[in-house]
């Protein structure tokens, strides 16, 4: 099954994608994670992306297209979940071309619906493990006690000024893609509020219906 997990920054895409990977064998392809790894390793892509990510801007479409298409090709075309891609109309159109060329159509675009006040809470209290990238939330999903506290950090782009810009960018450039996928008959809106496991059950139900 080929799925897009869609929604604003902090909606819970990564959290849910990792659960779907564990429980349903769908490979998570998160362009944000790929970009952060490239930045950490100071690869040419990482160096190019850095200034955009730090400001909360989108990395140029051509750069992300290559990362996403290579990642899909590496993992295989059958079972994946796109987390954070596509994020612009151009990226969505390229993805549609990719689907056609490879005869690998997307089955659904699941859009997590989360109000702004919840988003701001989730992003301001998001913490990540420096090495594994595992995501926590200070209140709802705190790091276990046996995890070294020094390894738990806040992403630079989760600080308030950058968060504001990321939300504006989401509204202007990414949210319109809901219409694009609605037009293709692929959009499924899912309530993204409530416990992590409740949101998971809702998504799982949608995927069961598609299977
Ligand atoms: P979040 O999980 O909060 O939505 P991500 O980890 O997906 O954030 O993305 C972090 C940053 O990486 C984005 O703010 C953007 O700069 C860059 N990025 C990730 N995916 C894309 C994409 N599809 N197009 C352009 N930039 C991207
Ligand atoms: P995204 O990938 O969409 O940016 P994340 O999966 O990283 O979002 O989640 C953002 C923050 O919110 C993280 O701190 C995560 O632990 C927390 N979180 C995710 N889903 C929920 C939920 N249903 N209830 C409470 N906190 C959540």
């Amino acid at each position: 099954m080929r799925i897009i997990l869609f929604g604003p920054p902090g909606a819970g895409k990564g959290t849910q994608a990792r659960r779907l990977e564990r429980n349903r064998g769908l490979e998570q392809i998160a362009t944000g994670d790929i970009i952060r790894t490239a930045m950490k390793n100071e690869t040419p892509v990482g160096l190019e992306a850095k200034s955009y990510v730090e400001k909360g801007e989108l990395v140029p479409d051509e750069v992300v297209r290559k990362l996403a298409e290579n990642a899909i090709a590496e993992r295989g075309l059958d079972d994946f979940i796109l987390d954070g891609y596509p994020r612009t109309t151009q990226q969505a159109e390229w993805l549609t071309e990719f689907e056609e060329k490879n005869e690998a159509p997307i089955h659904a675009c699941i859009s997590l619906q989360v109000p702004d006040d919840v988003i701001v809470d989730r992003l301001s209290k998001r913490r990540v493990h420096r090495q594994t990238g595992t995501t926590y939330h200070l209140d709802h999903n705190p790091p276990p006690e046996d995890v070294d506290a020094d390894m738990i950090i806040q992403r630079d782009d989760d600080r308030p000024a950058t968060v504001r810009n990321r939300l504006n960018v989401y509204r202007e450039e990414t949210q319109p893609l809901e219409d694009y996928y609605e037009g293709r008959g692929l959009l499924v809106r899912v309530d993204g509020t409530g416990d992590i496991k409740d949101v998971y059950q809702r998504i799982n139900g949608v995927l069961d219906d598609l299977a």
Side-chain angles (χ1 to χ4, degrees):
M1 195 180 288
R2 291 173 285 270
I3 302 293
I4 297 170
L5 202 49
F6 189 84
K13 302 180 296 296
T15 302
Q16 298 298 337
R18 263 170 236 130
R19 289 196 164 212
L20 292 164
E21 185 166 66
R22 279 201 304 276
N23 299 341
R24 295 193 72 118
L26 297 170
E27 294 247 27
Q28 179 198 17
I29 298 176
T31 43
D33 289 346
I34 297 171
I35 290 168
R36 273 186 294 281
T37 302
M39 284 167 55
K40 204 161 119 193
N41 296 334
E42 300 186 335
T43 66
V45 164
L47 295 173
E48 183 178 356
K50 192 170 186 294
S51 62
Y52 298 98
V53 174
E54 281 174 351
K55 285 189 278 221
E57 302 287 340
L58 295 180
V59 173
D61 286 333
E62 305 75 38
V63 176
V64 189
R65 175 195 197 174
K66 280 197 206 102
L67 296 178
E69 292 187 3
N70 289 345
I72 296 173
E74 266 170 32
R75 287 168 177 79
L77 292 167
D78 287 338
D79 290 297
F80 61 79
I81 180 150
L82 291 173
D83 161 8
Y85 186 86
R87 262 171 148 110
T88 64
T89 305
Q90 176 68 85
Q91 291 177 21
E93 286 171 353
W94 280 336
L95 178 61
T96 304
E97 276 174 32
F98 182 88
E99 293 170 48
E100 285 164 2
K101 196 173 87 197
N102 292 285
E103 295 179 13
I106 295 288
H107 297 98
C109 173
I110 297 178
S111 176
L112 294 177
Q113 309 289 305
V114 183
D116 279 1
D117 55 335
V118 178
I119 292 289
V120 170
D121 169 84
R122 287 190 187 171
L123 288 176
S124 61
K125 294 184 182 161
R126 171 159 65 185
R127 296 293 182 271
V128 291
H129 191 280
R130 194 194 290 273
Q131 264 167 3
T132 63
T134 305
T135 303
Y136 301 102
H137 183 282
L138 292 179
D139 301 332
H140 303 295
N141 181 24
E145 286 189 355
D146 59 351
V147 173
D148 179 358
D150 290 343
M151 297 305 282
I152 303 300
I153 55 167
Q154 183 173 37
R155 272 168 51 175
D156 285 339
D157 62 341
D158 277 347
R159 296 180 198 281
T162 319
V163 163
R164 273 196 296 279
N165 195 33
R166 287 165 63 205
L167 288 174
N168 287 337
V169 168
Y170 173 77
R171 276 190 207 101
E172 278 167 29
E173 301 199 47
T174 307
Q175 198 165 24
L177 294 189
E178 281 196 332
D179 295 340
Y180 181 87
Y181 285 104
E182 188 142 53
R184 285 184 63 192
L186 295 176
L187 188 74
V188 186
R189 290 189 177 83
V190 169
D191 178 2
T193 63
D195 283 356
I196 291 173
K197 63 175 185 339
D198 293 339
V199 178
Y200 180 77
Q201 288 312 330
R202 288 176 206 136
I203 298 174
N204 211 27
V206 171
L207 298 189
D208 283 346
D209 289 345
L210 288 173

